[in-house]
């Protein structure tokens, strides 16, 4: 029986993904001091373009060079006015990604309150901006409070003019990506792990989620106070982008189930309903693992907290699927085998399967999963826990382990860009 992973998927805008496997967005940290789509960043995508993927999602492209999540992220430097030289620079990147016909979407974002000191051109003491002046909190201990103070200053609450400016920056970035020839964009509304010069790793939320989330948006104006009002920021972005991009230019959004809770579950579902009505082309849900490690022939004990988070991820995804069956849904998180990916599709949990870490170790992992001559037990890439750099072992933060994972796989992407061999953790 042919694998359902080989089925094409047509998005509402008309863009066609030739199969269900998507190379998920991952931190590359390759934009350099120029924060641009440089040759190194472009080189990393050449193997993925030939890897059998149905679609490719790039790593972060920030909409404002003054506010970056990492010192080495690419970003828009100024208002986009159709500059041919700028379009040509990004076109080289788009062409490399899509040379073999794989639609590529750019993940665009703004770190908001969690743009740390020194990331971006605003300077060490330039304030970050946020929906509300809620400072970053790493914990209640002395070390956590000191570290938060050193890394971030207290953000200032955005005025309406600030919000409208950032909306224009998202629109400008999307328009540039469309002019450069990319197939679409994904709005990053989920959390990730911040690599600070390769040493300190911090859990962070992107701007879209900071507006959606009642913990970070305590406004009482038209942008806060209810689930609907907290969604206005992203809904405005989507509406304005639609006005300036081609009809087949896809607009997706990424949410992480772990950014939400059972207490706000219905509010989140209300916001997803609004996103669906706004005409997004797909919703990516991350934050858990669909696969049982036992099906991959390995034993991986889980803490109660991890098990609960993954259970919530599955509940979250299944509820979205049942309530909004017409919404194209991508699940990302923990897929390591053909068996797991096929199970998610056959269970009607998703239309698209996002694969991150295995793609950083084997850029051709999609081709392996789709190759019917490869037996089931060989169509797998189990990954051990990434090693934690020795200096980070002394930092008493729960998130260091997850940050170490991001750092490890970013280093593998760097090896891909240089044409070097990649290695799974433990090898």
């Amino acid at each position: 029986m042919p694998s359902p992973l080989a089925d094409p998927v047509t998005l509402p805008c008309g863009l066609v993904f030739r199969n269900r496997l998507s190379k998920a967005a991952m931190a590359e940290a390759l934009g350099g001091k120029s924060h641009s789509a440089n040759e190194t960043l472009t080189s990393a995508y050449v193997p993925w373009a030939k890897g059998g993927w149905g679609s490719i999602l790039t790593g972060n492209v920030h909409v404002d060079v003054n506010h970056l999540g990492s010192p080495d992220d690419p970003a828009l430097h100024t208002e986009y006015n159709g500059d041919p030289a700028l379009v040509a620079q990004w076109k080289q990147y788009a062409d490399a990604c899509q040379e073999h016909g794989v639609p590529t979407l750019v993940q665009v974002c703004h770190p908001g309150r969690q743009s740390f000191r020194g990331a971006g051109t605003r300077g060490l003491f330039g304030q970050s901006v946020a929906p509300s002046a809620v400072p970053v909190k790493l914990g209640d201990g002395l070390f956590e409070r000191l570290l938060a103070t050193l890394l971030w200053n207290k953000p200032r609450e955005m005025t309406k003019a600030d919000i409208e400016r950032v909306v224009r920056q998202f629109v400008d970035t999307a328009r540039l990506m469309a002019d450069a020839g990319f197939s679409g964009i994904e709005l990053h509304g989920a959390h990730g792990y911040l690599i600070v010069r390769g040493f300190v790793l911090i859990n962070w939320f992107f701007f879209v989620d900071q507006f959606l989330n009642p913990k970070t948006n305590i406004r009482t104006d038209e942008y806060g106070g209810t689930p609907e009002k907290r969604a206005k920021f992203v809904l405005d972005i989507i509406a304005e982008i639609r006005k300036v991009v081609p009809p087949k230019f896809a607009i997706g959004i990424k949410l992480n189930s772990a950014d939400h809770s059972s207490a706000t579950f219905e509010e989140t579902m209300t916001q997803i309903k609004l996103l669906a009505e706004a005409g997004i082309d797909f919703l990516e849900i991350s934050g858990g693992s669909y696969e049982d490690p036992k099906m991959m022939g390995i034993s991986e004990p889980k803490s109660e907290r991890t098990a609960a988070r993954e259970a919530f991820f599955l509940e979250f995804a299944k509820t979205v699927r049942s309530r909004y069956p017409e919404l194209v849904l991508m699940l990302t998180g923990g897929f390591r085998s053909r068996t797991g990916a096929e199970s998610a599709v056959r269970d009607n949990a998703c239309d698209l399967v996002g694969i991150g870490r295995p793609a950083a170790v084997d850029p051709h992992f999609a081709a392996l999963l789709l190759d019917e001559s490869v037996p089931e037990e060989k169509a797998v890439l189990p990954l051990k826990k990434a090693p934690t750099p020795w200096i980070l072992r002394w930092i008493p933060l729960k998130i260091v382990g997850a940050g170490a994972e991001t750092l490890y796989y970013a280093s593998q992407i760097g090896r891909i860009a240089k044409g070097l061999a990649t290695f799974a953790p433990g090898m």
Side-chain angles (χ1 to χ4, degrees), residues 20 24 88 94 161 191 199 211 251 258 274 321 334 352 371 376 382 410:
R20 297 182 186 272
H191 77 220
F199 292 106
F211 268 90
I251 302 175
L274 294 171
R321 191 61 159 172
L352 301 165
D371 188 346
E376 206 77 8

Side-chain angles (χ1 to χ4, degrees), residues 230-358:
R230 290 196 300 271
K232 176 175 167 54
F233 173 71
V234 65
L235 295 175
D236 287 350
I237 290 173
I238 294 169
E240 293 304 312
I241 289 176
R242 284 290 184 206
K243 296 176 183 178
V244 299
V245 297
K248 285 193 174 183
F249 189 81
I251 302 175
I253 186 167
K254 178 178 182 177
L255 298 180
N256 193 315
S257 62
D259 297 347
H260 307 277
S261 68
S262 56
T264 59
F265 191 85
E266 287 303 326
E267 291 190 356
T268 302
M269 291 300 142
T270 295
Q271 292 173 334
I272 291 175
K273 178 177 184 292
L274 294 171
L275 291 169
E277 291 173 349
I280 59 170
D281 289 293
F282 68 94
L283 172 68
E284 179 184 1
I285 299 175
S286 65
S289 177
Y290 194 86
E291 296 203 43
D292 180 350
K294 293 178 182 178
M295 75 172 60
M296 297 185 286
I298 61 175
S299 176
E300 183 180 310
K302 297 179 181 180
S303 67
E304 291 184 7
R305 182 179 179 183
T306 297
R309 184 179 67 245
E310 293 185 356
F312 184 73
F313 164 71
L314 294 177
E315 178 188 357
F316 189 95
K318 289 178 180 178
T319 301
V320 173
R321 191 61 159 172
S322 64
R323 295 193 189 185
Y324 313 110
E326 300 303 316
L327 184 59
V328 176
L329 194 60
M330 178 190 297
L331 293 190
T332 302
F335 289 105
R336 303 287 184 266
S337 70
R338 180 194 294 157
T339 299
E342 287 184 345
S343 295
V345 173
R346 288 187 170 130
D347 289 350
N348 196 32
C350 63
D351 303 285
L352 301 165
V353 174
I355 297 176
R357 293 169 186 173

Side-chain angles (χ1 to χ4, degrees), residues 392-403:
L392 294 178
R393 296 171 190 169
W394 299 94
I395 299 177
L397 293 177
K398 296 178 181 178
I399 57 173
V400 163

Side-chain angles (χ1 to χ4, degrees), residues 185-263:
I185 57 108
E186 180 183 56
L187 300 172
H188 197 335
H191 77 220
Y193 290 89
L194 173 62
I195 303 171
V196 185
R197 299 292 185 191
F199 292 106
V200 181
L201 300 101
I202 304 298
N203 181 279
W204 65 332
F205 290 79
F206 290 93
F207 219 168
V208 169
D209 188 78
Q210 289 171 38
F211 268 90
L212 293 173
N213 199 313
K215 293 181 180 179
T216 48
N217 181 352
I218 57 175
R219 301 175 72 100
T220 57
D221 62 1
E222 61 190 299
Y223 294 97
T226 68
E228 293 83 359
K229 289 182 178 180
R230 290 196 300 271
K232 176 175 167 54
F233 173 71
V234 65
L235 295 175
D236 287 350
I237 290 173
I238 294 169
E240 293 304 312
I241 289 176
R242 284 290 184 206
K243 296 176 183 178
V244 299
V245 297
K248 285 193 174 183
F249 189 81
I251 302 175
I253 186 167
K254 178 178 182 177
L255 298 180
N256 193 315
S257 62
D259 297 347
H260 307 277
S261 68
S262 56

Side-chain angles (χ1 to χ4, degrees), residues 35-47:
H35 309 298
S36 63
N38 56 42
E39 184 176 346
T40 303
L41 179 61
T42 298
S43 296
Y45 281 80
V46 172

